[in-house]
Every structure is written in C-alpha cells, then in structure tokens.
Amino acid sequence: MSARTVLAKGDRFRMRILLLISAMFGAQCASAETIRLAVTTSFENSGLADVLLPAIKEDIDLEVQLLVVGTGQAIRLGMAGDVDAILVHSKAAEEAFVAEGHGTHRREIMYNDFVLLGPKGDVAEVRGATLAADAFNGIAEAEASFVSRGDDSGTHLAELKIWESAGLGVDGFGPWYHSVGAGMGAALNTAAGLDAYIMPDRASWLNFGNRGGLVLLFEGDPVLFNQYTFIPVTPAKSEMVRYDLAMQLEDWLTSPRAADLINGYQINGEALFVFNANQ
C-alpha cells in the first residue's frame, strides 16, 4: 500500500470526522430557538430578567429576546404580530387584547404592588392618607410636583384610574403635573431630580439606584395591586409568530423552578415579586 493511498484514506477519515462534528455542532445551534417577548419597562427595571433568562436558556434551551416597552406598546406589537408573546400588567387592556383575537389567552404569572413616593418633607401629607385616592387628592390640593410616566404603560393606566377614583382628571392639572412619556427608570430619575411625587411599582423602586431625596410614603391600598400576565400572540397574526415557543415559555414560567426563582428574588432582604401562576 503506497504512502499516497494511506494519506488519501486518512484524509477521508478526517473529513468524515469533521463533517460529523459540524453536524453535531449545527444540531446544537439549531436547538437554541429564539422567542421575541415584549415586556414592560417595570419588569426589566426590576432586574428579574437577569435572573430568569439564563435559567430559561439552561432549562429549555430557549433564548428570550426582550423588547422592553410600556404595556400599551407591547400590546400594539402583539396586535401587529411583531412578537411571539407579551408580558404586561394592565388587566382591562389584556382582556380586550384577547377578546379581539390578538392573543390566545391570559396566564397570570406573578404580582407585586405600586407604591407612592415623594419628598421627605411630604408637603401633600401623603403619609397620613388612608386610601390611595386620598393621597392623590392631597397632592392635587397642594399642587405638589408629581411625575407621571405618561406613556400608556400599565403603571400609567393604574395611576390614571386612581386620579379618576379621586374625582380628578389629569387634563385639568397645572404645570405641577409632569407627564414625561418615558419608562419607569427615566420617570424615577425625573422625580428624583424634581423632588417630586411618583407612583412606581415596588420592584423598580427597590432596584433603583438614584433615589435622591425620595422616600416611600404610602402603600397597602388594594387598588395598588399589580398583576403581571403572560399572553401568547395568536399565530394567525403573522407567519413569523412562534406559538410553539410561546407555549414552551409559558410552561416554564408556570413551573416550580420559575416559582422558586421569582419568590426568591430579593433586594436587601425584601422580595420583589410573588409567584401566583395556577398550575
């Protein structure tokens, strides 16, 4: 057998090995699917995504591409079929989204609450309020600086409902009411800069670094309950919608593994979310 013949056989053998390795690597890459998930800025600002996304990749080999927007924009992305699922927090808007055929169903995942922050001096005397509506009335009567997200987000819609329950309409407010049209982090930064009142979700506040002179002044009213819900987009919205991946993600988000991570996520010993998905 000539040296040339041996070399040719060795080359073919090495080629088969390289092809096998390439095929195995390609199969691994192909198994790592990517889902497009529109989420609220309050969810992203909480830091919980940094805990959940690596675990999702590890457990079910699913890459989650987050589109971080307000609830209103997340719903519009879902209506257009530009995402596979949404994670939002505005029940009335969610129910309308599903009823109109844009989403297949709602699946509640976790909750926290909104809190009312303000300057330590508390010129509106929010600390003494019994109800959130009373606290908002005090702010309006004092014409104390208040920062609203003003972006059609779940937080913004919840705030508007409280003004309405207090018998007030924001359209008639003066320059003390600052509608910034921004996400939760930017709104909190504005409030800190103005030493103004603001209503964020608790998780964003606990994970917020630039607190300025703001302190937590009011909490505990049931109207401040803040439910986060997962909704798969209806596959008929677009041929690009991956309903199968949305259901894989929903199964994981409602699993004991997700429950442990969500309930265990704390800042300074305080839990930010409570898992409440029905199994």
Side-chain angles (χ1 to χ4, degrees):
M1 183 178 292
S2 69
R4 180 170 180 166
T5 301
V6 171
L7 181 60
K9 287 184 177 179
D11 286 346
R12 288 198 295 272
F13 176 75
R14 285 192 293 273
M15 182 61 70
R16 284 197 295 270
I17 293 296
L18 287 171
L19 288 172
L20 179 60
I21 292 172
S22 177
M24 292 173 63
F25 180 74
Q28 286 181 328
C29 289
S31 67
E33 301 270 22
T34 299
I35 184 172
R36 302 163 301 163
L37 178 65
V39 300
T40 66
T41 61
S42 58
F43 170 76
E44 198 272 339
N45 289 150
S46 72
L48 182 60
D50 296 331
V51 174
L52 298 187
L53 267 57
I56 293 168
K57 179 64 171 65
E58 177 184 351
D59 292 351
I60 59 175
D61 199 21
L62 183 62
E63 295 278 1
V64 181
Q65 179 185 28
L66 297 184
L67 285 81
V68 182
V69 292
T71 287
Q73 182 60 30
I75 285 175
R76 287 189 285 276
L77 288 170
M79 292 172 66
D82 291 334
V83 291
D84 304 303
I86 62 177
L87 182 64
V88 292
H89 60 143
S90 182
K91 186 174 182 179
E94 296 159 15
E95 290 177 337
F97 181 76
V98 172
E100 293 166 5
H102 306 298
T104 58
H105 60 277
R106 295 175 66 252
R107 192 71 184 272
E108 295 180 348
I109 302 297
M110 60 191 177
Y111 68 88
N112 62 8
D113 61 342
F114 296 110
V115 294
L116 188 55
L117 315 176
K120 294 176 183 177
D122 189 21
V123 294
E125 299 182 351
V126 164
R127 282 192 186 91
T130 303
L131 302 173
D134 297 334
F136 275 47
N137 255 316
I139 293 169
E141 289 176 2
E143 296 191 350
S145 289
F146 183 95
V147 171
S148 169
R149 282 182 55 174
D151 62 349
D152 196 30
S153 62
T155 303
H156 179 216
L157 296 175
E159 174 219 317
L160 293 179
K161 288 177 70 173
I162 297 175
W163 287 120
E164 183 180 353
S165 70
L168 299 167
V170 299
D171 290 342
F173 290 166
W176 58 270
Y177 183 79
H178 306 273
S179 183
V180 295
M184 196 70 260
L188 279 165
N189 277 322
T190 301
L194 295 174
D195 208 22
Y197 292 91
I198 187 172
M199 190 189 83
D201 65 287
R202 185 183 297 271
S204 293
W205 169 240
L206 289 175
N207 200 41
F208 182 62
N210 177 28
R211 299 195 171 196
L214 300 182
V215 295
L216 195 157
L217 297 172
F218 183 85
E219 61 185 325
D221 188 326
V223 302
L224 299 176
F225 178 79
N226 184 31
Q227 176 72 52
Y228 287 81
T229 303
F230 180 84
I231 307 177
V233 172
T234 301
K237 299 302 294 182
S238 167
E239 63 181 14
M240 300 297 292
V241 171
R242 293 294 304 273
Y243 182 71
D244 57 331
L245 299 184
M247 292 309 298
Q248 285 183 42
L249 182 55
E250 180 179 315
D251 287 344
W252 189 91
L253 287 171
T254 57
S255 69
R257 164 84 153 150
D260 289 344
L261 291 173
I262 291 169
N263 289 333
Y265 181 54
Q266 299 182 348
I267 292 180
N268 297 327
E270 186 169 353
L272 275 69
F273 295 93
V274 177
F275 178 87
N276 69 336
N278 296 322
Q279 300 297 313

